[in-house]
Amino acid sequence: PALQSISLKLGSLIGDCVWTSLIEAIRHLPALQCISLDLLLADLTDDTMKLLSDAIRHAPGLQCISLYGFSLSDDCLKLFSEAIRHAPALQSINLYCSRLTDNGMKLLSEAIQHAPALQYISLQCPDLTDHGMKLL
């Protein structure tokens, strides 16, 4: 049987070659249904998010994405939001992050309107404002 789920708890100081290898592997798992990454309060760089977003676009059966414990810049969230627009089977998004701005919430809100199978979204971000929640 083909691998359907990846769940990784990674240290905050992983190098680009580790990310490149991980995401290249994800791109070649056609039956992948769930990605769960716990980065222990690391910053997810724009380059890493570009790679992850590309992997999401190449996983048509992806049903759930869970990203734990890192800061998402607006640029990263823009890349992520664009990717989930191209994930037709996506049913669940879990974001547990250390930072998410109102602008990031707006980007996410616009993207989930184009995710026809999305049924569940969980956000746990300590700096989420009332305005940001209203955008969702």
Side-chain angles (χ1 to χ4, degrees), residues 82-131:
E82 289 169 359
I84 63 174
R85 289 176 184 239
H86 300 283
L90 187 63
Q91 297 175 12
S92 173
I93 298 172
N94 298 292
L95 294 178
Y96 302 92
C97 54
S98 60
R99 182 174 59 102
L100 184 61
T101 67
D102 288 349
N103 188 46
M105 281 297 292
K106 182 179 178 189
L107 292 167
L108 185 59
S109 175
E110 291 168 357
I112 63 175
Q113 293 176 22
H114 300 283
L118 190 65
Q119 299 173 15
Y120 177 81
I121 185 165
S122 175
L123 296 171
Q124 292 187 13
C125 303
D127 62 348
L128 206 52
T129 67
D130 289 340
H131 178 69

Side-chain angles (χ1 to χ4, degrees), residues 9-64:
K9 187 170 188 175
L10 304 168
S12 60
L13 299 174
I14 62 171
D16 289 341
C17 68
V18 173
W19 273 115
T20 302
S21 297
L22 170 64
I23 293 170
E24 189 62 27
I26 290 171
R27 288 187 64 188
H28 291 89
L29 296 170
L32 186 64
Q33 296 177 0
C34 191
I35 297 173
S36 177
L37 301 175
D38 184 340
L39 299 181
L40 305 175
L41 300 176
D43 284 328
L44 197 59
T45 67
D46 293 349
D47 289 341
T48 303
M49 184 52 89
K50 283 179 191 175
L51 292 171
L52 182 57
S53 296
D54 188 51
I56 291 168
R57 290 176 192 218
H58 286 87
L62 189 63
Q63 296 176 11
C64 68

